[in-house]
Amino acid sequence: MWRMASITIPVQNKDHPHVRSMNVLRDLPVVADLIELCFSSTMDNDGQRYVNDMRRAGRDDGFLHWANHMAETTSLPLTGYVWEENHKIIGNASLIPFRDRGKRIYLIANVATHPDHRRRGIARALTQRVMDHARKKNATALWLHVRDDNPGAIKLYQDLGFQEVARRTTWQANPDSHLPQPWGDADVQIVPRHPRFWPLQQDWLRRLYPEDLNWYAPMNLRILRPGFWNWFYWLFMDFDLKQWAAVSPRSGAGDELLATLIWMPRGGRSESIYAATRDGEEGTSMQALTKLLLHTRRALSNHATLSLEYPAGEMTEAIATAGFKPRRTLIWMKA
């Protein structure tokens, strides 16, 4: 998803006289147009909605004047730099500040160069500028993500010292109450997640949704833990959390857990689900995950598009068989 480009206190860049800090009072709509131009071929509905939100914010005088006084003081993306020639913005890079356990983290986003001005080092210069800005702000880490089908950008970021931490694919599918019952072994059953499954489920979630990325897309495992107080919290908050498990019945020894799935409503156009299973792609695990995803598509038929983020290259056949289509694969890089 594309994040809002932004402003900062003007800083003179002696090495690149065309680089200046973005002025949200006048630049926001122009930068939105640039982002749309550069990423239109890969932009999904969320990305398009984001660009439209940028344009609307650019027409809101109240927001603009507020934002002009709030750069660097909130978690909103209000810091960035542009490349301007002949009074025309042809390049952009944004910095989005995050806080993680008291540490300041920056995400570099919206690195874009107008197609008519590429291969001139503009993206490199802008990325170096925002990196310098983050270092001066005593950032403990710099992150970015880039699509895996953009080798030029990947090489640029590697040259600037970024190293790959993770690859994650976003899958999407529409809910459908008329889906047929899952095929395959009748021994795999879908049931509500039982509390006794929690220790194993927790281990799977920690592997598949790593703590290194928790600052960006936090998953609070504590609120998923079984127990009266968590149940009371969800009841008090009127929050319709759902959890299912795919199990294989074993006589005399209890059910064997094969896969789990969590749905937490977000109220947007896309609803996030979190699937987890054991490491490796054994036939039973793949079948269980497919059944679980099909069950979820039927059970949530009155909700928005379902979105599943999963480590790239893992369980692709099982996820695709359940009717999910890959939207993009992002490489997360850190410097």
Side-chain angles (χ1 to χ4, degrees):
M1 178 178 176
W2 292 264
R3 296 282 180 175
M4 186 178 295
S6 51
I7 66 171
T8 187
I9 299 171
V11 177
Q12 180 65 34
N13 190 319
K14 297 179 181 180
D15 296 329
H16 298 285
H18 295 296
V19 175
R20 66 167 174 82
S21 55
M22 181 180 173
N23 185 331
V24 74
L25 296 177
R26 66 172 184 266
D27 295 337
L28 196 57
V30 180
V31 171
D33 291 343
L34 177 64
I35 293 170
E36 184 175 51
L37 174 66
C38 294
F39 301 120
S40 59
S41 62
T42 57
M43 190 175 291
D44 57 18
N45 291 336
D46 288 339
Q48 186 61 60
R49 186 173 70 255
Y50 172 72
V51 168
N52 291 336
D53 288 343
M54 289 178 66
R55 294 192 179 104
R56 281 192 292 271
R59 297 191 296 266
D60 185 340
D61 290 341
F63 168 80
L64 295 177
H65 287 287
W66 171 84
N68 196 36
H69 293 89
M70 293 299 290
E72 298 288 352
T73 63
T74 74
S75 61
L76 294 175
L78 299 176
T79 306
Y81 291 84
V82 298
W83 184 290
E84 184 177 47
E85 291 184 13
N86 300 319
H87 307 291
K88 182 180 179 181
I89 292 176
I90 61 174
N92 177 79
S94 302
L95 272 175
I96 306 173
F98 289 84
R99 287 282 183 178
D100 181 38
R101 289 168 289 188
K103 297 179 180 179
R104 179 181 292 235
I105 295 173
Y106 277 103
L107 175 69
I108 299 176
N110 298 335
V111 179
T113 304
H114 193 286
D116 295 340
H117 297 272
R118 288 174 180 167
R119 301 186 183 280
R120 293 176 47 197
I122 293 175
R124 177 183 292 270
L126 284 167
T127 304
Q128 288 176 318
R129 187 65 189 88
V130 294
M131 291 174 70
D132 289 343
H133 181 103
R135 290 184 180 118
K136 290 176 181 177
K137 294 295 181 180
N138 298 317
T140 57
L142 270 170
W143 286 82
L144 56 81
H145 52 63
V146 57
R147 290 178 65 103
D148 69 336
D149 55 3
N150 191 347
I154 296 170
K155 179 64 165 56
L156 165 64
Y157 299 137
Q158 289 173 335
D159 290 345
L160 291 175
F162 284 86
Q163 296 183 345
E164 179 176 335
V165 175
R167 283 186 194 221
R168 304 188 66 80
T169 298
T170 298
W171 300 79
Q172 288 187 338
N174 292 323
D176 186 352
S177 61
H178 301 295
L179 285 172
Q181 291 293 324
W183 47 264
D185 190 352
D187 286 342
V188 177
Q189 299 178 2
I190 307 301
V191 299
R193 189 214 67 179
H194 193 277
R196 70 174 179 275
F197 295 145
W198 171 243
L200 187 54
Q201 180 191 20
Q202 180 177 226
D203 289 343
W204 292 349
L205 289 170
R206 283 175 172 164
R207 181 183 72 84
L208 294 167
Y209 302 92
E211 187 176 353
D212 281 350
L213 296 177
N214 210 37
W215 57 270
Y216 180 78
M219 172 176 281
N220 188 346
L221 293 178
R222 290 193 300 271
I223 66 175
L224 299 174
R225 181 178 292 118
F228 171 78
W229 289 113
N230 272 351
W231 171 84
F232 181 78
Y233 172 79
W234 292 121
L235 181 66
F236 179 77
M237 296 296 294
D238 192 26
F239 196 80
D240 190 20
L241 173 73
K242 294 187 183 299
Q243 297 194 71
W244 294 289
V247 300
S248 177
R250 298 184 303 177
S251 59
D255 296 336
E256 178 188 6
L257 183 64
L258 302 174
T260 67
L261 189 139
I262 302 164
W263 171 70
M264 289 185 283
R266 303 290 186 185
R269 295 187 183 182
S270 180
E271 296 283 6
S272 296
I273 57 176
Y274 302 89
T277 186
R278 67 188 69 183
D279 194 4
E281 299 199 6
E282 300 177 4
T284 306
S285 297
M286 294 180 64
Q287 179 185 325
L289 182 57
T290 297
K291 280 193 169 187
L292 202 50
L293 291 170
L294 286 170
H295 171 84
T296 302
R297 291 184 62 196
R298 288 197 308 274
L300 300 178
S301 59
N302 60 333
H303 291 278
T305 300
L306 299 177
S307 180
L308 169 68
E309 185 184 287
Y310 213 76
E314 289 194 30
M315 292 292 180
T316 56
E317 182 180 346
I319 299 170
T321 302
F324 283 73
K325 298 185 182 303
R327 299 296 301 176
R328 64 184 181 187
T329 296
L330 294 179
I331 303 174
W332 284 86
M333 306 181 79
K334 181 182 180 182

